[in-house]
Structures are given as structure tokens and as C-alpha cells.
Amino acid sequence: MNINGSQILIECLVEQGVDTVFGYPGGQVLNIYDALYKNKDRIRHILTAHEQGASHAADGYARATGKVGVCIATSGPGATNLVTGIATAYMDSVPMVAITGNVPTPLLGKDSFQEVDISGITMPITKHNYIVKDVTKLADTIREAFYIAQSGRPGPVLIDIPKDISAQFCEYEVEKPRPIGRTVHRIKQQDIEVAVSLLKNARKPFIYSGGGIIRSDAHEELLQFAEKLQAPVATSLMGIGGFAETHPLATGLIGMHGSKASNLATTECDLLIALGARFSDRVISDVSKFAPHAKILHVDIDPAEVGKNVKVYSSVIGDVREILTTFISLIPQMEHDAWIEQVRAWKEEFHFDYQKDETLRPEFILENIYDQTQGEAIITTEVGQHQMWAAQFFKYTKPKTFISSGGLGTMGYGTGASIGAQIGKPEMQVVHIAGDGSFRMNCNELSTIAYYNIPVIIVIMNNATLGMVRQWQTKFYEKRYAESTLDRGPDFALLAQAYGVTGYTITSQEEFSRAFKEALESNKPAVLNCQIGIDEMVLPMVAPGAAIHDLILE
């Protein structure tokens, strides 16, 4: 059929199984939005309050569903407003396709109104990007973009479409999406043999599980592998949910704010098995003191990650699910009872804890949310202290239920992400954990939540400060609180009400329990403004430059 570029875009999105896009219109995408209007029975468009909100919503949708998230923005400032969201997705390996408009091709490079070289700007933060200057190549470009976003190590891809290309006509034929195969061609038999020998000979093996387990849907294989190897399992921030935290072998979060059991086990193990993890500086801290007694076996889909941050003894490159399946078939049932007992003792002695009294504390809030939802919720977060409390005090048992900006640490991420997650998984309850500093950055997305009646429950840990900044200033800057105190508005409960969302001001444990129960039962959006102490801290904590076993506990 002979159709224009905008309709080609719609047909290709439908080909790829896209049912929802997030965006904000503008001059250079008017043709695309006209096509979206004509096809609103085929693709749902969610109008966000800001383009950054659209990019974070597409990201949250992708993380919650495992599908590709799609966002759309116009040229110039519309496109640049996507940049933070694209970078967030890139750092955390999230499959996303960002579609931007641009000025007509004859005006490219002439500093035209609202023109920007968005493909050049986003080159370092995308897996690939395109500017389409020939309408006959548009369909194949879109198909290739979706394939690249999902294949191998996932990530964002950008397609820049000049306005004249979206209006030009050409022939279009329907194609089935190219199947996404697992990366197995890089798996070398010799590497497998070395790895299996290490696994069989280890006396104190320890598994460090990262986001790759979730991206590869390898959580069941990880469970079988850990039980067969009889090895404890710690997770990175991005790996949360990949191994049930209620399992006896689970030791919880690893790294700067990880459990002491995880960090001690890393220090004392003789084999550290890193699965789909990139050895972030927030995990390893002082690299010279990281896993000092261990041979490190690194399994990852991206060879660029191997040896980048830590020296490894051996590696296997390829899809972690396929590699774990191979390991399971090649190792016997192992027994490491003494090692397991030692780790269990560390867990018992050093578990995450806090002073339990009548004070409204963030740890109580997370535990109460867990109890009231019976653990059946998707938790999204902003970035800061509340993010770490959410990682520590809610017991995650399933993948894709903890959604947070890990690599880039994007304040303002979570509200948009909660929108995408709730739309992608309407059968789940999404609870968004925010800090007052992060939430004010993108609280305008309350208008989106209210308009579409998205039943996200937003819990604000309001300590009237940039909490993590203040914690560092307290510990390492002699309490010089430079520009970190937020002694100013708004009243978040009143703000919510202004947008048509139910708002609560919470000052006690009883008030929180009652308000959260009401919000759950209402199946409507709500904001719970929880007033907690300004000097609440995230503990344990590894000081800058310290070894990860050298934790500040109080």
C-alpha cells in the first residue's frame, strides 16, 4: 500500500507489538500525531506533562513488562528534554525506542527554528541512532531500531524523523518482526570448561547477581544454579528481584549500602561468581580490597564489561540464562554446609535493623507497605535515601518488581516510571517511593496520573532535606549543610489535591497504616506526604575509599 511516513511509523509500531506510547506533541511531529489520532483504536498515547516524564514512563513500562518502551517528542527542546531519560535507560540496559521529529531535510544544518542535532547529542547514550532522510528507508529503520533495542545487551535507540519525511508517500509492506535470539555464538567451550572446574573446586562460592539476570529472564535458572552449587546469593541494586530475598541462600543487597552478610561473604569467599553484573563503583568501593581471597568468574553478555572495573580470573561471554542452563547440567549437587552456616550466622547477627519505637520511620513505612500488599507490588523509586530504604526493607521475591535508576541515579525518574509501570502492569499495585527533593523535580506528572486515573500510590519520605547529601555532609563534611536543607514548599498533600489526587499528611505510624489502607482500597491515585526526621540515615554505609566489609553500622 502507498502511505505516508507517519502512517508507516504507526504500521511498524503495530508490527512490533506496541500498544502504548508516551509523548508530547510539537510542530515537527504534527504529522505523526495526526496519524496517532487516526489510529487511536490501535495504539494508546499517554500525554505526559513534560517530555522527560514521557521518557521515564517509557523506561518504567519497559522494565515492568520486558517489552520495548516507546516515547515521542518534537524537535529542539522537545528532543533534548528526552536526553536524561535516554541516558537513564542506557546506563541500566533498558530497551527503549525514542522517536523525535526534526525540521524538514532542506533546513537541516541551518540553525532553523527548534533544530538540534539530536542524533549527535545522543550518540554516547544510545546503542544506535538514526536520522531518516529517505522515506523509503523509514520502515526498515524502525524495524532495525526495535531489533537493536532488544537484542544482546538491551538499550535505547533513537530515530530522528524530519517533518517532510513524515509527510512523503511510498510503498509499504507488512513484515513480521525479526526474532530476537539469545546471544550464544560467543559462548566458548573452553571458557565453560574452565568455569565448571572453578565451580566444582570452590569451597566458599558466592554469587553476585546483577540486572542481567532480570533482562535475560534467568531468575529460575539462577535459583536452580544457586541451590545446586549451594552458594549464597547477593544482588546489586539492578539485580533486586532476580533472586527471592525470602530464600535461605539470599544475603540481600551488596555494596555501599548492602548487608554486612553480603559484603563479608564477598570478602571471605574463594570464588565470586558475577552474573550479569558490571562491578559498579557502588559495589566494589576500594578495588584493591574487593574479594581479596577469591577467584572471580564473570558471566556477561557484553565483553566490554569483563575486566573493566576489576580483574577477573575467568569469564564466559553470552546470554546468562543459556550459560546458567549449561552450568546446571555440568555440575553435580555441591555441599558447602560450613560456608552456608557461616553466612547464615552473619545474616542473623547483622541483618538490616532500626530503632523500633512509636516514631514514624522510613523503615517502618516500607515494612508496613510490604505487609499491607503482602509483597505483591511493584516498587518504583526516585534516587536518594528513600531508594536505599526501599532496597533494604521491602522483601522482593519476583523480577521486574523493583524499578529504580541505578547507573545514572536520576532524581525525578520515579514518578514517570511509576506511570509507565502501572500502565504496563495494570493488574499489579504500583507504589512509588519518593524523597521530597526528587519528587519536586517532576511532580508535574501528577497531572498525568490524575487525568488518566492511574492508581499509583506515591509515598514521599519528606525529611525537609536532600537526605543523602545531608548524610554525607554529616559524616564527611563536619555538618556543613550547604544548600541541602529544603525548608520551603510545597505542601505535597495540598499540591496533590490541586491536581485532583487524594493527598494525606502523615506524622505517625497509625496515620500511615490507615492512609495507606484507604489508598489501597480506593484503587485511585494518592499521595502520602510522610514527615520523617531530618537526620534519619541509611545504614549500613561504606565510607568513600573503604573496603566493603568495613561498614559504618550506626
Side-chain angles (χ1 to χ4, degrees):
M1 61 181 128
N2 191 265
I3 54 178
N4 68 18
S6 298
Q7 190 62 36
I8 288 171
L9 172 61
I10 299 297
E11 298 300 331
C12 286
L13 292 178
V14 171
E15 269 183 18
Q16 298 295 326
V18 174
D19 53 24
T20 305
V21 298
F22 305 87
Y24 202 95
Q28 306 305 341
V29 287
L30 281 175
N31 297 327
I32 292 170
Y33 270 82
D34 192 51
L36 282 167
Y37 182 86
K38 294 173 183 175
N39 291 273
K40 55 189 173 184
D41 59 327
R42 303 169 74 194
I43 296 177
R44 183 186 187 191
H45 180 276
I46 301 296
L47 175 64
T48 54
H50 192 281
E51 291 92 352
Q52 187 178 137
S55 63
H56 293 325
D59 177 303
Y61 178 94
R63 296 196 206 212
T65 64
K67 296 162 64 176
V68 178
V70 180
C71 56
I72 302 174
T74 193
S75 64
T80 57
N81 282 342
L82 296 179
V83 169
T84 299
I86 293 170
T88 301
Y90 182 75
M91 289 289 282
D92 290 345
S93 303
V94 178
M96 186 167 84
V97 171
I99 298 162
T100 55
N102 213 328
V103 299
T105 50
L107 297 180
L108 289 171
K110 297 183 178 180
D111 294 331
S112 304
F113 177 67
Q114 290 193 333
E115 181 196 359
V116 75
D117 178 14
I118 194 62
S119 61
I121 289 169
T122 59
M123 189 175 293
I125 54 168
T126 52
K127 281 188 73 177
H128 197 67
N129 62 33
Y130 307 85
I131 179 166
V132 183
K133 298 181 180 180
D134 182 346
V135 71
T136 65
K137 297 180 180 178
L138 179 59
D140 286 342
T141 299
I142 296 166
R143 292 164 181 149
E144 187 173 88
F146 273 83
Y147 179 81
I148 291 172
Q150 299 170 85
S151 62
R153 180 178 182 172
V157 179
L158 180 134
I159 309 170
D160 194 32
I161 307 174
K163 189 173 185 178
D164 56 327
I165 301 301
S166 67
Q168 291 172 11
F169 283 75
C170 74
E171 286 297 318
Y172 162 81
E173 292 184 9
V174 177
E175 288 187 13
K176 291 183 178 180
R178 183 177 168 189
I180 307 296
R182 294 191 174 274
T183 303
V184 296
H185 64 280
R186 286 178 169 169
I187 302 175
K188 297 178 180 177
Q189 185 60 33
Q190 182 180 356
D191 294 340
I192 293 289
E193 291 171 359
V194 172
V196 169
S197 176
L198 290 171
L199 296 172
K200 288 180 177 179
N201 290 304
R203 292 180 299 106
K204 297 189 288 184
F206 189 59
I207 297 169
Y208 158 38
S209 174
I213 290 292
I214 294 170
R215 298 288 177 266
S216 184
D217 287 322
H219 52 284
E220 292 181 1
E221 288 75 13
L222 172 59
L223 174 61
Q224 295 173 42
F225 175 65
E227 290 181 340
K228 196 167 188 182
L229 184 61
Q230 203 187 19
V233 181
T235 60
S236 70
L237 192 70
M238 289 294 94
I240 287 176
F243 192 82
E245 295 178 3
T246 53
H247 193 283
L249 290 174
T251 63
L253 192 65
I254 187 175
M256 177 176 284
H257 295 291
S259 72
K260 188 151 189 178
S262 291
N263 289 5
L264 283 173
T266 302
T267 304
E268 296 301 324
C269 70
D270 64 0
L271 178 65
L272 180 66
I273 306 134
L275 303 174
R278 61 185 181 86
F279 292 98
S280 159
D281 59 298
R282 287 296 176 104
V283 169
I284 61 177
S285 195
D286 183 349
V287 67
S288 68
K289 298 174 183 175
F290 181 77
H293 310 299
K295 292 178 179 177
I296 296 178
L297 169 61
H298 193 176
V299 176
D300 206 280
I301 200 165
D302 187 353
E305 291 296 345
V306 175
K308 184 176 80 174
N309 294 329
V310 298
K311 185 178 180 180
V312 303
Y313 183 86
S314 183
S315 65
V316 185
I317 304 301
D319 183 86
V320 68
R321 182 175 170 186
E322 299 299 316
I323 293 167
L324 284 178
T325 301
T326 302
F327 287 168
I328 293 164
S329 69
L330 294 176
I331 62 172
Q333 179 61 52
M334 307 296 289
E335 303 293 339
H336 303 110
D337 293 344
W339 171 235
I340 295 298
E341 178 56 30
Q342 173 64 81
V343 175
R344 189 204 62 77
W346 287 331
K347 286 171 62 177
E348 185 69 23
E349 184 179 358
F350 300 116
H351 58 279
F352 290 127
D353 204 357
Y354 65 100
Q355 184 177 342
K356 293 179 174 66
D357 53 27
E358 296 303 312
T359 306
L360 181 64
R361 297 190 184 280
E363 300 91 344
F364 164 83
I365 291 170
L366 268 304
E367 289 179 348
N368 189 271
I369 292 170
Y370 179 82
D371 291 341
Q372 291 206 48
T373 61
Q374 297 180 315
E376 294 295 320
I378 293 174
I379 303 296
T380 61
T381 81
E382 300 290 350
V383 171
Q385 285 180 313
H386 62 278
Q387 177 189 33
M388 296 298 108
W389 289 318
Q392 293 174 338
F393 287 92
F394 191 99
K395 298 180 182 69
Y396 301 88
T397 59
K398 298 175 183 177
K400 304 186 181 87
T401 56
F402 178 75
I403 295 175
S404 190
S405 171
L408 197 64
T410 305
M411 292 177 70
Y413 163 80
T415 309
S418 71
I419 292 170
Q422 188 70 85
I423 287 173
K425 301 291 284 186
E427 72 280 10
M428 294 286 287
Q429 176 64 60
V430 174
V431 181
H432 175 44
I433 309 299
D436 51 316
S438 286
F439 183 65
R440 71 181 64 229
M441 290 189 172
N442 276 337
C443 59
N444 53 355
E445 294 304 337
L446 282 171
S447 63
T448 311
I449 289 170
Y451 179 80
Y452 294 100
N453 194 30
I454 301 167
V456 173
I457 300 174
I458 300 173
V459 178
I460 303 172
M461 305 287 192
N462 189 349
N463 51 8
T465 186
L466 296 173
M468 192 62 83
V469 176
R470 183 181 178 91
Q471 180 166 329
W472 278 61
Q473 289 172 334
T474 299
K475 290 289 185 184
F476 311 119
Y477 291 88
E478 298 178 340
K479 299 185 178 181
R480 293 186 294 274
Y481 300 123
E483 304 302 328
S484 57
T485 303
L486 301 177
D487 51 352
R488 62 204 70 181
D491 179 320
F492 291 114
L494 289 178
L495 179 69
Q497 291 166 27
Y499 280 107
V501 174
T502 303
Y504 300 85
T505 297
I506 311 292
T507 59
S508 70
Q509 294 182 10
E510 182 182 355
E511 287 176 352
F512 180 82
S513 298
R514 184 173 63 250
F516 190 80
K517 184 174 185 290
E518 286 181 9
L520 267 181
E521 292 174 348
S522 74
N523 197 34
K524 293 181 179 180
V527 172
L528 280 64
N529 180 26
C530 303
Q531 297 180 356
I532 64 172
I534 195 170
D535 284 313
E536 293 281 1
M537 289 201 178
V538 177
L539 297 172
M541 179 184 185
V542 177
I548 64 167
H549 62 270
D550 186 13
L551 285 158
I552 300 170
L553 297 176
E554 59 183 32

